[in-house]
Amino acid sequence: MTTLPAAPAVPRAPEQTGRFWADLRRHGHHPAVVTDAADGGTLSYADLADRVDALADRLGPTRRLVLLAGGNDLDTLVGYVAALAGGHPVLLLPGDNAGHVDAVVAAYDPDVVLDGDGLHERRPGTRHDLHPDLALLLSTSGSTGSPKLVRLSHTNLASNAGAIASYLGIRRTDVAATTLPLHYCYGLSVVNSHLAAGATLFLTDLSVVDACFWEAVRAHRVSSFAGVPYTFDLLDRVGFAGMDLPSLRYVTQAGGRLAPERVRAYAEAGQERGWDLFVMYGQTEATARMAYLPPDLAVASAGAIGVPVPGGSFRLEPVPERPLSARDGDLTVGELVYRGDNVMLGYATGPGDLARGREVHELRTGDVARRRPDGMLEVVGRRSRFAKVFGVRVDLDEVERLYGDRGHVVHVADLGDRLLLGVDASARPADPEELRAVAKEAVGLPRTAVDVLALPEVPRLPSGKTDYRTLVALAGSGARAATTADPAAPGGGRDDRSAALRAALAEVLGRDVTDADTFVGLGGDSLSYVEASIRVEAALGTLPAGWHTTPVGELAGRPATPARRGRTLETNVLLRALAIVMIVGTHANLFVAVGGAHVLLAVAGFNFGRFHLTDAPRRERVRHVLGSVARIAVPAAVWLAGVALLTGDIGWRNVLLLNGVLGPTSWTEPAWWYWFVEVLVWTLVALAGCLAVPWFDGVERRWSFWLPFGLALAGLLTRYDVVELSAGDEIHRGTVVFWLFALGWATVKATRLRHRLLVSAVAVASVPGFFEDGPREAVVVAGVLLLVWLSSVRVPDVVARAAAVLASASLYIYLAHWQVYPHLEDDAPLLATLLSLLAGIVFWKVASRAGNLLGTHAGPRPKPRARASQV
């Protein structure tokens, strides 16, 4: 392990230290912000402080989670600083992606939303447990497609702003143009460092290719701007190196590796024109910057990331899986590990994580670096950017450099069993055979191990970095150029995704679908969700959070991302599939694994809370619940009527799903076989009646977790016989087992850690002793805990599809298996199990098809297909 010394301390002026958001007025009437006249003209620091104070007052004294969705404009800047000044953790998002904003709102449930339409207070006070150090939440690496966020503290922001202002030597007279989005950590660091130094921001969303941008640069005497590698591609197009910009002092570059020859060229151009080039290195997880290359070394040490920022340090940790290459020679190589006050608190994947404090003390960057003979650090790849193809271990970043040495602009991705070469056709036409020949010569891969994709435009993240996920998705969408070099190959655009999504939902739900529709709004429920989620993931490459309540048009507007190996399988779906197999296999004497039906009750409660308790009006909620009741009760009644007519084993009480109320009090076969369906139907009917009462509906909206949790506690009164509502068989009666349904409902509303702990505690405490059967009780407890703590798993595609079919058909399997397995359980239990499952799947397919045919003749907006909604 090699430890690299920290850079020498750089003296900081007093105005470059401290928390800038609380220090605005000290800069008095010096210009803080310059904008277009229509957006406010010039604001002094005093003016900015007035606006910040006014908004901070509106946000109130109670710390709340503020979601800020905006752009490079004054309102966004004021909202950001006001949240910090008021002590409110702020979740910063781009304002031009409504679908993503809605998904994050659904995932994190902010107390306040600030966007282009103003301040939207979703509730007084807060429902979150917010750690005192938490200040800012940002998407990782400039990505806007994931609910995973970086948690940053006030110390992180202040220390990194001060360090950047110090090594850049930012002056009060400097004016920085906002050439990068404010929601991107690099763009935000420009704001933070200049406000910390008392300098001026030129707020703009103009591109560097716009002529009016350069007019504004001259008019406002802009002294600096920031760029990612793609920005420098655009600068090349407009002839930036030859521009006369007398006010320009320096240009900064980060957000990805700029080729050494380009670093030299820009550094030399700057020397001729009187400005400096600062090459910088950072990650969102380090607030922004971790290293910089001093301008006087940019020519001699092009390719290096330089030295740590003031207050930071690096060490290199060995990477066993990466052997030294010829480029490395005998230099020290390892993973770059950074330590400093700007290292994040940790990650967040849901609102419960917002209560966490510091969990990270040093940042494992994932970058593989080497220490050069001149003492500078140079990043040579990513630990995650390795692939194994045909038994050959391949460094994807090294392959990109090899092609770059031969004059090709190639972006390399891993397709599992082969490499994908995404070729920038605007730089040089893609010749698949030539590119494959290079792979064989330089990497040792056979031609069949290389796919070539001609790109009329390289997909990029908001940070400007190559979007490898979308690259892989484009390859899978039919845009692959394995035998041709057509630069106009299709790219799976928004219209294609919209058509695919509408077709998928129409097929699953049996309804006409428009871009304005949502899955839930179309009558989608828990079983149709399973099949629909598989198809949505196939169309988009991933399964966005909250997709089931997001309009189709907004989903289609998101950039496609590549499907990773396997599929995302939600835990409730997996539990449904496992539970129905357990039920059938146990009844058929294949094995003994009891408890599946009671796990399904908790899953049913989970899905009730998820699909029926949306923000829809009360009457629509009631209609949705009753629709699900019909989609369970109708096929069940039809099947049971047929059984009654053909066998005479059951009577009208079973057909009407009233055996639990009017039938024998103790377990009697076959009368009690269908207890689960009865419990589910009448539980939903009762809850529909409750939701029809305005008071109950209002309580649910205000106390979305505490209502079902309270009902679960109330349900324990019958579970422990404090209140006796029935006699005889208790473990199969709805009035007794309701507490399990309510626990599942509370689980989906458990947005905080303490909520999850409470649900877990009740499950662990209340299930033992109920069945007087240890293994069964362990199964039920495990099922509830999995619902609470594990939202999804990644499984092979074949497992996901099998689970999806079993979960979707679970109601029909439950109904049908009673007529199949008894004939085979003694002699062929495996065959009895398989045929029972198959019979239920066939029943499901026939019922679905019948429902679809009936729906398509009902008018322009047919009814949903007949489907079970909860089992």
Side-chain angles (χ1 to χ4, degrees):
M1 182 185 300
T2 298
T3 302
L4 301 171
V10 178
R12 301 179 186 174
E15 66 267 25
Q16 293 175 345
T17 61
R19 303 187 174 191
F20 59 86
W21 53 89
D23 227 6
L24 298 175
R25 292 191 186 279
R26 69 180 304 186
H27 304 296
H29 295 287
H30 184 73
V33 180
V34 176
T35 66
D36 295 331
D39 194 29
T42 300
L43 264 73
S44 70
Y45 272 88
D47 295 332
L48 179 61
D50 288 341
R51 295 197 184 199
V52 166
D53 290 347
L55 183 55
D57 288 342
R58 291 186 64 194
L59 292 173
T62 301
R63 292 185 79 228
R64 298 195 285 176
L65 179 61
V66 176
L67 185 147
L68 174 58
N72 291 11
D73 54 54
L74 186 57
D75 287 340
T76 302
L77 176 66
V78 171
Y80 166 66
V81 181
L84 294 179
H88 307 285
V90 57
L91 200 168
L92 195 54
L93 295 176
D96 57 359
N97 189 333
H100 178 54
V101 171
D102 290 344
V104 175
V105 168
Y108 282 89
D109 193 19
D111 303 306
V112 179
V113 174
L114 284 170
D115 58 22
D117 295 326
L119 186 150
H120 309 279
E121 191 173 38
R122 304 181 76 229
R123 63 182 62 87
T126 183
R127 64 171 46 178
H128 297 286
D129 187 2
L130 303 169
H131 193 276
D133 293 342
L134 183 64
L136 178 64
L137 295 158
L138 292 177
S139 296
T140 59
S141 302
S143 171
T144 59
S146 170
K148 183 178 181 180
L149 302 174
V150 171
R151 295 184 287 116
L152 299 174
S153 71
H154 300 92
T155 298
N156 292 154
L157 297 177
S159 66
N160 207 227
I164 295 169
S166 179
Y167 71 74
L168 289 179
I170 298 177
R171 307 166 183 170
R172 292 183 76 244
T173 53
D174 279 331
V175 180
T178 57
T179 46
L180 297 172
L182 266 62
H183 64 82
Y184 172 37
C185 72
Y186 182 14
L188 191 62
S189 73
V190 173
V191 171
N192 294 344
S193 58
H194 282 74
L195 292 181
T200 304
L201 294 169
F202 166 43
L203 277 180
T204 180
D205 58 2
L206 293 172
S207 169
V208 296
V209 297
D210 294 328
C212 51
F213 171 80
W214 298 107
E215 294 172 5
V217 166
R218 294 183 179 92
H220 298 303
R221 299 190 58 77
V222 168
S223 58
S224 69
F225 66 88
V228 296
Y230 181 56
T231 308
F232 286 81
D233 293 341
L234 300 178
L235 292 174
D236 286 344
R237 297 182 191 178
V238 298
F240 165 74
M243 288 184 182
D244 183 21
L245 302 167
S247 63
L248 189 63
R249 286 209 309 120
Y250 63 88
V251 176
T252 64
Q253 184 273 318
R257 183 177 183 271
L258 194 64
E261 60 271 21
R262 300 188 71 195
V263 171
R264 292 190 192 95
Y266 274 96
E268 290 170 350
Q271 290 172 359
E272 293 177 5
R273 294 286 176 176
W275 49 264
D276 290 326
L277 175 68
F278 282 85
V279 175
M280 307 190 299
Y281 166 77
Q283 292 181 356
T284 309
E285 290 84 346
T287 307
R289 309 274 66 82
M290 290 182 280
Y292 72 102
L293 182 64
D296 57 345
L297 299 177
V299 174
S301 300
I305 63 170
V307 297
V309 302
S313 64
F314 286 110
R315 63 183 175 86
L316 293 177
E317 186 165 291
V319 183
E321 70 268 25
R322 187 194 187 278
L324 293 177
S325 70
R327 289 175 180 262
D328 298 325
D330 59 355
L331 301 178
T332 301
V333 177
E335 182 180 9
L336 200 56
V337 182
Y338 175 81
R339 180 178 286 269
D341 288 341
N342 52 318
V343 172
M344 66 176 177
L345 299 174
Y347 291 109
T349 56
D353 295 332
L354 305 186
R356 298 178 180 274
R358 177 164 296 283
E359 296 173 317
V360 178
H361 297 279
E362 60 179 13
L363 179 61
R364 307 181 70 87
T365 66
D367 285 329
V368 179
R370 62 181 178 179
R371 188 177 184 183
R372 298 155 42 118
D374 59 7
M376 297 291 103
L377 288 167
E378 180 180 5
V379 173
V380 295
R382 289 281 297 169
R383 290 194 72 164
S384 60
R385 291 276 290 155
F386 288 88
K388 196 163 187 179
V389 183
F390 277 71
V392 178
R393 188 168 180 79
V394 180
D395 181 339
L396 303 183
D397 293 316
E398 180 72 10
V399 173
E400 289 186 355
R401 284 192 285 272
L402 287 171
Y403 278 103
D405 292 343
R406 290 164 171 78
H408 296 281
V409 180
V410 174
H411 306 267
V412 184
D414 179 17
L415 293 180
D417 57 348
R418 59 195 188 280
L419 290 188
L420 172 65
L421 307 182
V423 184
D424 187 347
S426 65
R428 177 175 172 180
D431 183 339
E433 292 309 312
E434 178 188 354
L435 294 166
R436 291 192 181 99
V438 172
K440 181 173 179 60
E441 171 195 346
V443 189
L445 292 177
R447 294 172 181 267
T448 55
V450 177
D451 282 1
V452 179
L453 178 66
L455 300 169
E457 184 175 357
V458 178
R460 299 189 182 277
L461 296 168
S463 63
K465 297 179 181 179
T466 303
D467 187 346
Y468 289 101
R469 294 182 181 180
T470 297
L471 188 64
V472 174
L474 292 176
S477 69
R480 190 178 301 152
T483 58
T484 179
D486 178 14
R494 181 194 180 285
D495 290 344
D496 294 332
R497 290 192 293 275
S498 174
L501 289 169
R502 284 186 278 108
L505 295 180
E507 172 64 22
V508 172
L509 298 173
R511 300 192 66 161
D512 295 336
V513 181
T514 70
D515 277 356
D517 288 321
T518 67
F519 171 80
V520 171
L522 289 166
D525 49 39
S526 62
L527 291 189
S528 51
Y529 176 91
V530 177
E531 187 177 351
S533 66
I534 294 289
R535 301 198 182 199
V536 169
E537 185 174 10
L540 297 180
T542 188
L543 200 61
W547 74 267
H548 56 297
T549 56
T550 302
V552 170
E554 292 185 15
L555 287 174
R558 301 179 183 183
T561 55
R564 295 177 291 163
R565 296 178 185 177
R567 292 280 181 180
T568 300
L569 187 64
E570 295 191 6
T571 302
N572 72 91
V573 176
L574 179 61
L575 288 175
R576 293 212 303 271
L578 289 175
I580 197 62
V581 172
M582 288 168 58
I583 291 169
V584 175
T586 298
H587 289 170
N589 292 329
L590 181 63
F591 49 71
V592 177
V594 290
H598 289 81
V599 171
L600 285 179
L601 279 177
V603 173
F606 179 93
N607 287 317
F608 172 77
R610 186 179 193 189
F611 294 102
H612 297 303
L613 301 181
T614 63
D615 291 333
R618 176 171 53 87
R619 292 183 179 178
E620 186 175 327
R621 280 178 157 194
V622 174
R623 283 197 298 269
H624 200 200
V625 176
L626 292 178
S628 286
V629 169
R631 289 191 287 275
I632 300 170
V634 171
V638 170
W639 179 266
L640 295 176
V643 172
L645 290 173
L646 294 175
T647 68
D649 292 336
I650 60 175
W652 62 270
R653 296 182 183 87
N654 291 110
V655 175
L656 297 179
L657 303 177
L658 291 172
N659 179 74
V661 178
L662 303 177
T665 57
S666 59
W667 179 270
T668 304
E669 297 187 7
W672 274 83
W673 278 355
Y674 309 100
W675 71 271
F676 176 81
V677 180
E678 293 187 14
V679 168
L680 185 56
V681 166
W682 293 112
T683 297
L684 291 177
V685 169
L687 289 172
C690 291
L691 287 174
V693 178
W695 174 85
F696 187 94
D697 182 75
V699 169
E700 190 285 322
R701 293 176 192 270
R702 182 173 178 82
W703 306 103
S704 59
F705 169 76
W706 294 110
L707 174 64
F709 185 73
L711 289 174
L713 295 181
L716 294 177
L717 296 176
T718 56
R719 178 259 181 268
Y720 286 107
D721 295 328
V722 175
V723 175
E724 294 188 21
L725 299 178
S726 57
D729 188 296
E730 291 191 345
I731 66 172
H732 301 111
R733 289 190 182 276
T735 54
V736 179
V737 298
F738 172 74
W739 108 92
L740 288 173
F741 181 97
L743 277 182
W745 173 7
T747 294
V748 79
K749 301 298 184 180
T751 58
R752 301 184 186 181
L753 176 61
R754 66 171 179 266
H755 294 165
R756 297 180 185 181
L757 290 173
L758 284 171
V759 173
S760 301
V762 171
V764 171
S766 61
V767 172
F770 180 62
F771 301 99
E772 297 182 354
D773 180 342
R776 175 183 285 194
E777 290 165 352
V779 166
V780 176
V781 170
V784 175
L785 293 181
L786 284 172
L787 270 183
V788 173
W789 296 103
L790 185 66
S791 61
S792 64
V793 293
R794 197 73 185 174
V795 298
D797 186 75
V798 64
V799 174
R801 292 191 174 277
V805 170
L806 290 170
S808 298
S810 55
L811 169 69
Y812 302 89
I813 293 172
Y814 185 86
L815 290 169
H817 86 287
W818 299 104
Q819 279 68 55
V820 179
Y821 83 83
H823 304 290
L824 299 166
E825 61 178 319
D826 294 329
D827 300 321
L830 176 60
L831 182 60
T833 300
L834 294 177
L835 287 180
S836 295
L837 296 175
L838 179 60
I841 292 170
V842 171
F843 179 19
W844 165 57
K845 289 290 187 182
V846 171
S848 298
R849 180 62 177 167
N852 192 35
L853 290 175
L854 290 173
T856 56
H857 293 288
R861 299 286 295 182
K863 297 179 180 180
R865 298 191 300 180
R867 284 184 180 274
S869 66
Q870 303 294 333
V871 179

